Structures are given as structure tokens and as C-alpha cells.
Amino acid sequence: MLSCSTTGPGTLQLILRKVLDGLKEASSSTPIVQVGPQENHLIPESLQSEHFQLCKTVRHGFPYQPSAMAFDPVQKILAIGTQSGALRIFGRPGVECYCQHESGAAVIQLQFLINEGALVSALADDSVHLWNLRQKRPAVLHSLKFNRERITFCHLPFQSKWLYIGTERGNVHIVNVESFMLSGYVIMWNKAIELSSKAHPGPVVHISDNPMDEGKLIIGFESGIVVLWDLKSKKADYRYTYDEAIHSVAWHHEGKQFICSHSDGTLTIWNVRGQGKPIQTITPHGKQPKDGKKPEPCKPILKVEYKTTRTGEPFIILSGGLSFDTVGRLPCLTVMHGKSTAVLEMDYPIVDFLTLCETPYPNDFQEPYAVVVLLEKDLVVIDLAQNGYPIFENPYPSPSTSLLKREWPISGGNWGQGTQSYPEIIITGHADGTVKFWDASAIMLQVLYKLKTAKVFDRNRSKEEKGSTEVSDEDPFAIQIVAWCPESRMLCVAGVSANLLIYRFSKLEVTTEVVQLLEVRMQCELNDSDSPDGGEQTSGHPTPRASPQTSGPPSHPSTSSNNSDSGNVPCLKVRNAPLKQSPGYQVDLVVQLVWVSGEPSQQITSLALNSSYGLVVFGNSNGLAVVDYIQKTVVLNLGTVELYGCNDPYQRQPRSPRKTRQPSGGLCDINEGSATSEDRCKSPTSVLTSNSNLQQFYNGGGRGDRDNSFSRSRSSSVTSIDKEAKEAISSFHFCETYARKGDSILTPCLFVGTSLGTVLCLAVTMPPAGEQRQLQPVIISPTGMLVRLKGSVLRMSFLDSSGSHLPPAYEPWFEPNITTDGEERVRKRRPVSVSPSTSQDLSESQYAVVCSEKQAKVMSLPSQTCIYKHSITETSFILRADVVHMSQGACVACFCANGHIMTLSLPGLRPLMDVNYLPLTDMRIARTFCFSNLGQAMYMCSPTEIQRITYSQEVCENLQEMLGELFTPVETPEAPNRGFFKGLFGGGAQSLDREELFGEVAAGKASRSLAQHIPGPGGIEGMKGAASGVVGDLARARIALDERGQKLGELEDRTAAMMASADNFSKHAHEMMLKCKDKKWYQF
């Protein structure tokens, strides 16, 4: 398994190259079964319904909207809860799992049962849950729902089975974590404070026991009162009062002092026995007045931790507390160590932080070595052992910039058998213009390579240009669509600013003096009255609208240029300075759509790349353009209507473009309207996956993608005049097939699908390979319409006569920066086709598979007759469709807007699977959902998370083995040595028999109306298998109580009632005997 945590930039290129080589080898080793021609198209189909099963596999990425965090210092696993009730648990890189609370309420606090394989979660709906982590898919063992009080704080002491729960009313309840039953022992707020305050002290904000005396419990109330409660005597020993509200409390490990953080930005340190005033008051970020007065108040210190070391000063670590005059300053974590104070700025607001220590025992020197900081959109681990407090390198998919390459401290769990037998790469395009390559071959997602497309452009735009490019001011570099050829390693990226970047992969560093630029004006349909020059652009023949710039600095038109089209400007300007390009992906050509007659160019809605032909085609709502990236020229630039020629079925009138630009409103705008620019930059705007069968799956839809939007899809089949007049290009497919009806020769073709359900064919005439390919032009000519369907065309693919999938022709990768033999380069550039059809008899037919938003059709070629037709949905519409490979054959996979995932056989279009997976509640899912081969699929379930699913029955069966194990048997470290004198004179930690105090015998039963116990849905069998060894004591007790608790409780109730009755009878009999003892018989 490859790990980026130990690789440098140069090694990243090597890793990516090795993965690409492995991808190619895996593809070439896949056998292609050849079957002879079938009569009447009766091709046997091996895929059956039993080959399909749908289930979630794993969730990647940073937890969205995190709200709580916990760490097990012995198991070394980290748990993060979110505002939607999700639970993400992380061990070593590659060991992680996702769970979800059924209620969906926010997680407010997490507590590990340290080294016991269990976790307690408290939610905002006042429920507490016990999770069993001893199984690969954690499950809830018990739940407790409070009815009358709101939960505000929880505390579970180390190696204790009694959980303290503080409430909004100021009371403290105690729960047995084995049975999840409430104890009758309750600390009431009025008894805790008694006469120290006339008003209610507010909610409980902190609970913890004295590290040296388990019988002493400190309770912090929001109003500023802290109470030291004696559990045995059931009364308060001391009370500490401060004028400012309390946010958190932390103990010194010796139990003689504690520290509080307050709402005015101060820290107060208290002696346990000195209850009058704090022994020290600190304002870490307050300005100290010269006249000795109190410092100016600061923002609240939300949390403080107090950690000691054997050899040096203690660490005081806090979040918040900045002065009010630091407007706009980044959130900070402050580390105070001795006389030094380090302020560490964070990129996002701090949600929580935890100090990682060498020991789990609170009564020993803590020896902190790291701080885990949970931010709103990132996870940062700070090394306390190094000068300057550098950051550990984060192995998880994260936006953070890491500095330190030490071992990641979250290292628990064991890997499963998660590596697949084939390599898989996921490519994501982001709103800040970055493209990331991820290795998805294992259960985890690992960064292979990061490409910054924004560096190709000039970021310093003039005010005039900024005013004219409001199209994408928020995210001008956002990636919208990605097309990738794994064999040739060509990469094509379409941006939200109507730009296209074509990249080649190279192992050598190169400096590009001038980035070559093509400026394209997409064909516009203009009324004669609206044409500024009498209709210059209404010519019907495919005239290239751009000229390549191969020498000299590129000229970028601006609003002040002398062009005939005033306002003919690109949205982004390509940089003029030389560009140093590291090994990896290097820009080869930039294609920029420019404004026409003061109108901004329409965004690119579809994109395709073919390395064998050296062509890239892209389309939008106006038409399509084909670029020859070898000769750096535009081959074709046509409006959609011109593709039909004189056979336009709609008889449309020429139409002028819109005079006013609508606000940018793509799919992700619906749920991200208030998102910050940083949020958008880290969230992928397009996703592409590729695996061993080398089929591309890309998905468009960045910000402002109106023509690829949800609303367009929903109404694309409405045959109104307005919709027909504005026909957008929705999909492309390159292949070698029969260009015309009745043809007997296979020729390169480009098929074009439109938003009105039309599939058109364009024949591609290629010049001879070698030197002539560099000189002679590529000729593309429309050959007519193949088929029409209901709804927008989503996917096109081709099968050979045996029903096997026909992959497009491709060119093998070559090193583009060869400096010696130029002929070698030309020879290697000869196109290679791996299409099985080239080795078949030319009289054999092919099958074209076309899928739209409503239906699928299979056409026989070259006769162009429809042999199979299937109406996929009538009431809804398809959002995503792909032709994918399963181990048994090919099929059509569809994701419907009503949440259904369906598969159809090929070529017969038999329904094989139809599962109601999830309703479409988030436009992000519609924009990013994509299928991959061998039963894989994925989508973005939040701005920061990718959910992977499988629809393969084989993968579902093996999923348990692929998942990692969170819990591993580890011996708990030995307790700290008390020392001779402490043991002799009674010093050291004082233990407490909590069972005796909190058990039902001493404390009685809790009120049944206070909370409701809910047994968990699963996990008992997993607990039985794992309950062994030293660390299984608590688990065994929990199993026993689960199995016997109810019967035993009933028996104890009956026994207690009988004993009470017997005692009463004995007592009354004894009293009667005393009364009658001295009486004579006649006195009765």
C-alpha cells in the first residue's frame, strides 16, 4: 500500500506513474471473449439479477460540520461526531468507519470507554448511546433517552462503569454503562450550592473527579460557581465563586489545583482548599494597563487543558480568548509553556481540541506530546515535542498543508483485506481550480497527485475586466468537467469560466516560454436585426473561428481592443510570463471561449477526449467545437442547428442570444448559496473515476452550470418552441463504427447527443500517421441523425456482434519532452486502436447503446434499426447513466431522480436490479453521482465527503473482510507507582467503591419518568466473540447483564419484597411479645 505520508513531491510523480502503469497492465490482461455473429440478435446474456446487490461500502473525506471529538489513548483511535448525527471513527490510515445515529440529532459529546472497545455518545435530543466498537461495523448496544432534563455535559472516569451526566437544570445523574440504567444517586443543584447563591447556578458545564481522590467530584456551573462534591457524605466540601461565566475546567494531575476558563477571556487557578479567591488570574491575550488595573476583557476562552511534565513547566492549552480589537484575525490555539506563549493560527474556526498524553491515568504526570485540533473543515495535529510546534502530516483527504513528517499519532486498529485486485483512480476537480488524483484501490482514499490549474492564468485582472466577468467572480477557476485517457495519460479540464486546459503527462521538468492559446467564439444564432455587422456569423459551413498562436506572446483581447466585436474578452487571461512545469501533468494547450458582441460565452456542458485521433470536443447551449490538440487548431465550430443541416426536425427560426445574463446558479448553488469561498475551494465540483477496464466516467456541474442543471433535466423533454430553439449539447462519444446507414467500412466517428434526445453522427477523416498527421487537416463532416429518444441524451456506447463492449481507440503514452531523436517521437505517436471490431469480419454488425433521461435504446449497425427499447421511467427522470463492466458482462447502470438505482442487461435491456436507494434531497448528489466498473459507484454526500457504494453481489459478500478492525487487544499500561512514603502516610490516589455508592442497594431506583432505556439493535454476538483477555472484563459483564439482567432484576424485586414483608412481620411479632411478656392470663 502506498502512503503519501513518507513521500516528497518527486516521489508523488513516481507513485502516480506506477499506478498508471498498473492500470494499463490490468486492462491489457482482461480477456475479451469473442463470439460469432448471432442470428436475429439473440445474444446470450450472462448477467442475471442474482449478480446484483446494493450496499454502502465506505465514506471518504473530512466529516461535514463536526461538533464533537474523543480519543482513546490506549487504542489510539479518534472519534468525530457531526451536527447531523454522523459518527466517524479513525485509526491508522486505512482504518476508518462511518456510523449514523437514527435520530439525526447533533452529537454534543463523545466519551471512549478507554481500551474497552466501546464509545458513549451524547446527542442534542438528550439521548445517550453506547456503541460497540469490537465489530467491524459498530452498533448501538444501549440507548437512554432523557425526558424531563436536557443533557449538557458527560464525564466517564478512566476504568469506571459509572457515567456522570450533567443537565441544563444543574443536576447530575449517574448511569451504569453496563446496563445503561440510571442510579438512584442524584446530585441536586440546590443541595450543591445551598446558600452560596441566591439564583439558579445555570446548566452544568463541567464534571470531573479529583485525580487523587475518586470520591471528590468537581461540578462547574455556567454562572461561575464551582462545587467540590463529596460523593460519600453527599454534601459539598468547598464552593468557589467567580463573577464571570465558566466555559471549562481542568485539573492539575496532583489534585490540589484546578483551572477555569471564563467568558471574559480570563483563566483562574484555584487551590482546592482555598475557596475564597483564585490564587492566580491570567488574561492570556489581554492588554496589561500600566496603572495596575484589571486587563481589558477579551473574547471567551472556550476550553482550557492543564497538562504536566516530569522535567519541565506544565502546558496550559486554550482556544479562544483573543482581544476584541483583533477583528478579522484567524481563530487561534494558544500554547502556554512556562514563560513562553505560542499563538497558533488556524484556517477555520476551532470546534474542539484534545491534548494527547503518554498516560491514560489522570493522577500521573501527563507528558503531553501532541494536540489534536478539530476545525470546522479540517483536522490538525500539532507536535508539542518540537520547537515551533509544527504540524503532523495528515494522511487523510484533507485541505490542510502539513509540515511535519513524523508518524501520525492516530495509529490504532488493523487493516482489513481491503486492497482490490485491480487499481482504481478517482479524479476530483475543485472550486479553487485544483485537480486531485486519488488511489481508491483500497478501502481508504489516498492522494496521489495534485494539479493546480489556476497557475496557468494571470490572477491580477484589471478593474474593467473584473466588471465584465461577473460570470464567475466567486470561483473563476472552478473545475466543471474532467476527461481523462488512462492509456495516453492525456487530461482535459473544463472550467467554469468557459475555458479548456489540455495536459500531457511527462517525467521531465520543462519551462514553457509561452502557453499556447486558442480563442474560440462559439457559433451564435442571430436574428438579422440583432446582428451588429449584418450577420457575420450566420454562415452555415464549419469555418474555424479561432487561430492558434504558436509564436510570440499571446495577445489577449480586452474591452479596449480594436476588434470588430467590442467587448470580445475572455473570462480569464492566460499568463504572459514563462511557466515552470514540474514532472507530472504539464499544460499543452489552453482553449478559451471569448465573449461575443458583449455577451458572455456559455459554459461548457459536455466534453470528450480521444488520444488516438488527437481530438478534444466540447459543447454548450450554442453548439460544439472540435479542437486538434496536435496541430493546435480548431477543426470544427458548429451551432446545434447546423448539425442537422436541412433535415432539422424542429423547423426552428434563428434566435438571438439572451441580452441579460442570468445569475450564476448551478446545481451546487442550491445548497451552497451561503458557503464561503474557502468552503467551495475545498469541495470537489466534479468527479471522475477510472478502473481496470479503462472506461471513463466524468461528471460535470460546477458553479453556474445552468445548462447542466437539475431544472434543465426535469423539463428537457417538454416540446415547447422555446426549448426546441435552445438545444444544448449533452454528451459525446468517439468510436470506430459505421458512419452511415448501409456502410461496410469502419471509420472514426463522433456521436453527439443533445438535450432534446437526438443522436447525430459526424464522420472523422484522419490524415496518415507520422509527419502527415502534423501537416494535413482533420476533416469532420455530419452524416445525419441516428436515433431520437425522450429526454436529454446522457450516455452512448458501442458493442460488438458478440455483445462485448467496444472501448474507444487510444494512443499509448509517450514522453512528450524528448530532446534527442525527433523521429522516435513521431513513430511513437502512431495511433493504436484496440477495438475488437478491427479484427472481425467487416460484414458483422455492431450495436449502439443510447440512454436518455427517460429511456434506453439499442440500435443495430450499419442498418440503424432499433432492436431493443426500454422505458426506464415515466414519472421521474434519469440523472446519471453509464455502460459498465461487471465480471460476468456489461450492463447499463442508471441513477434516477426518485432515488432508484437500476441496472439493465445488454443488449437486451432486461431490468436486472431496481433498488430505492435514497431520495434526491441534495443537488450535490445529482451533480456528482457516477458509476464505475465491477459494481462500484460513488457520489458526494456532503461538501467534504464521498460515499462509495457497490451494486455487485460479490463485493457485498466480501465487504466484511475488506473492512478494517477498530479494536485490537492491547494491555492497559500499569498504574503509576504510589511510592513508599505516599503509601506509608496515605498519600497518592484514593479509590472509591462506586458500586457501593451508586448501586441499587444503597442508592435505590431512579425515577422511571426521568429517562427511558432503549435496547440497541445489534452487537451482542460481536461482543461475545470479542470478550476475552484482560481487556474483556467489562464486555463480559455487559453480556451477562444483557442476558440475565431483566430476569435477575425481577427476582431481586420479589426477594426484596418478601424480605421486607418478613422483617415487618418479625418486628410486629417482637413488639407484641414484649407487650405480653409480663401480663397474666386474666389481663388479656
Side-chain angles (χ1 to χ4, degrees):
M1 192 172 120
L2 304 175
S3 173
C4 286
S5 61
T6 57
T7 60
T11 319
L12 282 175
Q13 316 298 338
L14 177 63
I15 288 175
L16 180 60
R17 180 161 52 88
K18 287 183 177 179
V19 171
L20 294 178
D21 291 339
L23 200 66
K24 181 179 177 182
E25 291 169 5
S27 173
S28 60
S29 63
T30 304
I32 298 177
V33 180
Q34 298 290 339
V35 183
Q38 304 293 321
E39 294 295 326
N40 300 324
H41 311 289
L42 297 178
I43 296 177
E45 297 175 354
S46 55
L47 273 176
Q48 304 298 328
S49 296
E50 56 265 23
H51 294 137
F52 295 91
Q53 182 181 346
L54 193 69
C55 68
K56 293 181 179 180
T57 55
V58 68
R59 182 170 291 202
H60 298 302
F62 181 76
Y64 182 55
Q65 293 181 332
S67 56
M69 176 174 61
F71 182 72
D72 187 324
V74 180
Q75 288 289 318
K76 295 190 181 301
I77 55 178
L78 180 78
I80 297 177
T82 73
Q83 294 181 21
S84 60
L87 196 61
R88 297 283 299 278
I89 306 173
F90 299 92
R92 66 181 61 192
V95 179
E96 57 181 272
C97 78
Y98 161 76
C99 315
Q100 177 68 47
H101 292 90
E102 288 185 5
S103 67
V107 179
I108 60 174
Q109 199 171 349
L110 297 171
Q111 291 265 304
F112 274 104
L113 278 69
I114 295 175
N115 205 25
E116 290 294 346
L119 176 73
V120 173
S121 60
L123 306 189
D125 65 352
D126 309 308
S127 61
V128 186
H129 308 269
L130 178 67
W131 290 85
N132 172 26
L133 306 184
R134 291 173 177 252
Q135 54 198 58
K136 291 190 174 183
R137 287 188 177 274
V140 173
L141 288 171
H142 297 283
S143 297
L144 195 65
K145 179 75 167 63
F146 279 74
N147 299 321
R148 299 186 309 202
E149 298 195 47
R150 306 296 309 272
I151 296 174
T152 55
F153 194 86
C154 297
H155 171 63
L156 181 65
F158 178 44
Q159 294 181 328
S160 168
K161 66 177 183 179
W162 297 97
L163 173 71
Y164 301 105
I165 297 180
T167 68
E168 195 174 43
R169 290 188 181 180
N171 303 324
V172 176
H173 301 276
I174 302 169
V175 176
N176 186 320
V177 293
E178 291 179 352
S179 61
F180 244 55
M181 301 299 290
L182 272 172
S183 167
Y185 192 114
V186 182
I187 305 173
M188 303 299 291
W189 69 270
N190 52 354
K191 192 169 182 181
I193 67 167
E194 289 186 343
L195 301 177
S196 62
S197 173
K198 296 180 180 179
H200 190 279
V204 175
V205 295
H206 181 84
I207 308 170
S208 61
D209 49 351
N210 188 315
M212 286 296 181
D213 189 350
E214 296 175 351
K216 308 292 185 181
L217 194 69
I218 203 165
I219 305 169
F221 296 94
E222 188 181 66
S223 64
I225 299 176
V226 177
V227 174
L228 185 67
W229 182 264
D230 189 313
L231 291 168
K232 290 182 179 178
S233 63
K234 300 182 181 180
K235 65 178 183 179
D237 281 352
Y238 299 103
R239 297 179 181 89
Y240 317 88
T241 305
Y242 194 70
D243 294 337
E244 298 293 336
I246 291 176
H247 284 276
S248 70
V249 183
W251 278 102
H252 187 283
H253 86 274
E254 292 179 347
K256 297 177 182 179
Q257 290 181 348
F258 61 89
I259 187 170
C260 302
S261 70
H262 299 277
S263 58
D264 63 345
T266 60
L267 299 173
T268 54
I269 300 176
W270 303 77
N271 274 337
V272 169
R273 297 185 180 275
Q275 52 182 329
K277 292 183 178 180
I279 61 171
Q280 191 177 0
T281 302
I282 308 169
T283 308
H285 297 284
K287 296 178 180 179
Q288 299 292 336
K290 295 181 180 179
D291 54 6
K293 293 182 179 179
K294 292 179 67 174
E296 294 179 3
C298 296
K299 296 176 183 177
I301 297 177
L302 301 178
K303 185 176 182 179
V304 63
E305 292 203 343
Y306 197 9
K307 302 299 180 183
T308 55
T309 60
R310 293 183 187 275
T311 57
E313 297 284 340
F315 283 87
I316 298 177
I317 303 167
L318 56 107
S319 62
L322 295 178
S323 60
F324 285 102
D325 57 4
T326 55
V327 179
R329 185 172 177 180
L330 293 172
C332 295
L333 184 82
T334 304
V335 180
M336 302 171 66
H337 185 218
K339 295 182 179 180
S340 68
T341 299
V343 180
L344 308 176
E345 290 188 339
M346 302 293 159
D347 292 334
Y348 307 103
I350 297 173
V351 177
D352 194 6
F353 73 88
L354 292 172
T355 307
L356 308 188
C357 301
E358 297 288 354
T359 177
Y361 293 93
N363 59 352
D364 194 9
F365 286 98
Q366 298 299 287
E367 302 295 343
Y369 61 90
V371 182
V372 180
V373 188
L374 178 63
L375 308 177
E376 282 189 358
K377 301 179 183 67
D378 200 0
L379 182 73
V380 175
V381 181
I382 297 165
D383 188 0
L384 293 179
Q386 303 290 325
N387 292 330
Y389 305 130
I391 296 174
F392 282 86
E393 185 169 7
N394 192 337
Y396 295 105
S398 169
S400 66
T401 302
S402 302
L403 305 175
L404 183 71
K405 295 187 177 179
R406 291 184 60 203
E407 183 182 356
W408 183 247
I410 304 165
S411 56
N414 285 327
W415 291 308
Q417 305 299 317
T419 304
Q420 300 162 349
S421 59
Y422 58 90
E424 186 170 35
I425 288 179
I426 295 174
I427 304 176
T428 56
H430 298 255
D432 62 350
T434 58
V435 177
K436 292 183 181 179
F437 288 72
W438 310 84
D439 179 12
S441 303
I443 284 294
M444 75 171 295
L445 200 63
Q446 205 170 15
V447 180
L448 291 175
Y449 180 70
K450 181 178 179 180
L451 174 66
K452 296 180 179 180
T453 64
K455 68 180 184 180
V456 175
F457 299 101
D458 186 2
R459 292 177 178 266
N460 300 319
R461 294 180 294 164
S462 65
K463 292 182 179 179
E464 291 79 7
E465 288 173 336
K466 286 182 180 180
S468 64
T469 57
E470 74 280 356
V471 52
S472 55
D473 255 353
E474 289 182 332
D475 298 313
F477 307 109
I479 306 301
Q480 204 162 5
I481 314 176
V482 178
W484 185 51
C485 176
E487 295 86 0
S488 66
R489 304 180 188 176
M490 293 295 299
L491 175 69
C492 190
V493 177
V496 73
S497 299
N499 57 285
L500 201 70
L501 295 94
I502 300 171
Y503 288 88
R504 292 183 183 273
F505 186 84
S506 174
K507 304 174 189 177
L508 306 176
E509 183 177 296
V510 67
T511 299
T512 305
E513 295 297 328
V514 177
V515 177
Q516 298 200 36
L517 172 68
L518 277 177
E519 291 182 343
V520 178
R521 284 171 288 178
M522 290 293 283
Q523 192 79 14
C524 242
E525 304 152 4
L526 299 176
N527 288 333
D528 290 341
S529 59
D530 293 332
S531 177
D533 299 315
E536 175 206 352
Q537 294 166 315
T538 55
S539 58
H541 59 279
T543 304
R545 305 294 186 199
S547 57
Q549 297 175 351
T550 56
S551 62
S555 60
H556 306 292
S558 64
T559 53
S560 59
S561 64
N562 295 324
N563 293 345
S564 58
D565 290 328
S566 62
N568 182 7
V569 296
C571 296
L572 293 174
K573 182 178 287 187
V574 176
R575 59 183 292 169
N576 293 319
L579 179 64
K580 183 178 179 181
Q581 304 197 76
S582 303
Y585 275 101
Q586 301 169 352
V587 65
D588 187 55
L589 178 66
V590 177
V591 180
Q592 179 70 65
L593 301 187
V594 295
W595 289 33
V596 178
S597 303
E599 291 295 320
S601 51
Q602 300 298 303
Q603 292 175 350
I604 296 171
T605 59
S606 51
L607 175 67
L609 162 73
N610 188 280
S611 59
S612 177
Y613 311 147
L615 300 178
V616 168
V617 58
F618 58 93
N620 60 15
S621 58
N622 288 333
L624 64 86
V626 181
V627 172
D628 181 347
Y629 62 78
I630 295 176
Q631 297 185 21
K632 309 290 191 295
T633 58
V634 176
V635 177
L636 185 71
N637 187 353
L638 280 180
T640 312
V641 177
E642 293 174 306
L643 290 171
Y644 292 95
C646 59
N647 299 318
D648 184 2
Y650 300 113
Q651 300 299 317
R652 285 169 284 211
Q653 296 298 319
R655 178 179 173 85
S656 62
R658 290 170 293 184
K659 291 300 179 184
T660 58
R661 181 162 184 83
Q662 298 178 3
S664 173
L667 288 175
C668 60
D669 278 353
I670 297 176
N671 282 344
E672 295 182 81
S674 60
T676 62
S677 60
E678 291 85 355
D679 188 7
R680 290 189 302 271
C681 288
K682 306 308 177 188
S683 173
T685 56
S686 61
V687 178
L688 179 149
T689 66
S690 183
N691 58 21
S692 60
N693 290 308
L694 302 171
Q695 182 157 356
Q696 299 175 33
F697 303 95
Y698 57 83
N699 193 79
R703 301 187 61 81
D705 182 10
R706 292 183 307 279
D707 297 304
N708 198 29
S709 67
F710 188 66
S711 59
R712 177 205 58 78
S713 299
R714 186 166 48 198
S715 58
S716 59
S717 58
V718 180
T719 55
S720 64
I721 297 175
D722 181 66
K723 285 290 175 186
E724 290 171 351
K726 198 65 174 176
E727 185 174 13
I729 304 297
S730 59
S731 59
F732 295 110
H733 188 77
F734 284 103
C735 63
E736 290 191 8
T737 184
Y738 306 98
R740 295 170 180 83
K741 188 174 183 177
D743 274 5
S744 59
I745 300 175
L746 296 171
T747 57
C749 293
L750 169 62
F751 283 83
V752 180
T754 74
S755 59
L756 296 184
T758 305
V759 177
L760 300 145
C761 180
L762 286 79
V764 181
T765 303
M766 299 296 299
E771 186 178 354
Q772 294 300 312
R773 178 64 184 88
Q774 307 281 340
L775 302 174
Q776 295 185 20
V778 177
I779 300 173
I780 300 179
S781 54
T783 62
M785 183 171 61
L786 174 65
V787 67
R788 288 188 63 204
L789 296 88
K790 294 180 181 178
S792 178
V793 177
L794 300 178
R795 181 68 60 210
M796 297 171 283
S797 188
F798 285 79
L799 310 176
D800 63 14
S801 59
S802 66
S804 299
H805 179 256
L806 287 176
Y810 64 84
E811 174 190 59
W813 177 78
F814 67 95
E815 173 56 61
N817 296 323
I818 294 178
T819 55
T820 54
D821 188 2
E823 294 185 5
E824 176 81 8
R825 175 175 176 173
V826 174
R827 184 181 63 80
K828 284 189 175 183
R829 291 189 46 55
R830 186 172 303 149
V832 176
S833 174
V834 295
S835 172
S837 61
T838 57
S839 61
Q840 297 176 0
D841 188 357
L842 296 181
S843 63
E844 294 180 14
S845 64
Q846 292 182 353
Y847 300 101
V849 182
V850 185
C851 187
S852 74
E853 293 174 323
K854 292 288 186 180
Q855 58 184 179
K857 289 185 179 181
V858 175
M859 310 292 294
S860 176
L861 301 177
S863 63
Q864 296 189 1
T865 57
C866 179
I867 59 171
Y868 294 109
K869 177 182 176 181
H870 179 70
S871 179
I872 302 175
T873 177
E874 292 292 342
T875 58
S876 186
F877 55 94
I878 302 299
L879 292 166
R880 179 75 184 189
D882 286 306
V883 175
V884 295
H885 298 275
M886 304 291 286
S887 55
Q888 299 84 5
C891 66
V892 178
C894 305
F895 174 54
C896 195
N898 59 14
H900 284 248
I901 294 179
M902 296 164 280
T903 57
L904 307 172
S905 69
L906 284 177
L909 299 180
R910 291 182 298 110
L912 297 174
M913 181 186 75
D914 187 348
V915 178
N916 187 4
Y917 175 62
L918 81 168
L920 187 67
T921 56
D922 189 347
M923 295 302 105
R924 185 181 294 101
I925 298 175
R927 179 170 53 85
T928 58
F929 197 103
C930 57
F931 294 97
S932 184
N933 295 324
L934 299 176
Q936 303 288 334
M938 67 178 184
Y939 59 91
M940 289 200 67
C941 52
S942 76
T944 58
E945 294 171 292
I946 291 176
Q947 178 67 55
R948 294 179 68 180
I949 62 175
T950 181
Y951 48 95
S952 164
Q953 189 267 343
E954 182 182 359
V955 176
C956 288
E957 283 186 351
N958 299 326
L959 183 59
Q960 194 70 11
E961 297 179 4
M962 297 171 65
L963 298 174
E965 293 181 355
L966 291 169
F967 178 81
T968 55
V970 179
E971 291 287 341
T972 302
E974 290 186 8
N977 190 358
R978 294 177 64 187
F980 174 75
F981 290 104
K982 286 187 176 180
L984 183 63
F985 297 108
Q990 301 294 318
S991 61
L992 172 72
D993 188 350
R994 294 187 178 93
E995 182 70 36
E996 183 181 339
L997 270 178
F998 306 143
E1000 190 174 318
V1001 175
K1005 289 186 177 181
S1007 170
R1008 291 187 177 181
S1009 61
L1010 180 62
Q1012 177 187 1
H1013 176 256
I1014 306 168
I1020 193 67
E1021 294 301 322
M1023 292 291 289
K1024 285 181 179 178
S1028 60
V1030 178
V1031 295
D1033 293 338
L1034 185 59
R1036 284 196 295 271
R1038 189 178 305 124
I1039 293 169
L1041 283 168
D1042 284 339
E1043 293 177 341
R1044 299 185 289 124
Q1046 188 173 0
K1047 293 181 180 178
L1048 201 58
E1050 293 175 358
L1051 183 60
E1052 286 178 353
D1053 289 344
R1054 291 174 185 173
T1055 304
M1058 291 174 65
M1059 289 178 66
S1061 177
D1063 286 343
N1064 288 333
F1065 179 78
S1066 174
K1067 184 178 178 182
H1068 288 303
H1070 184 67
E1071 291 175 352
M1072 184 65 68
M1073 185 267 294
L1074 291 175
K1075 285 182 179 180
C1076 302
K1077 183 173 66 170
D1078 298 327
K1079 288 188 178 182
K1080 303 295 182 180
W1081 63 270
Y1082 53 82
Q1083 292 177 323
F1084 285 100

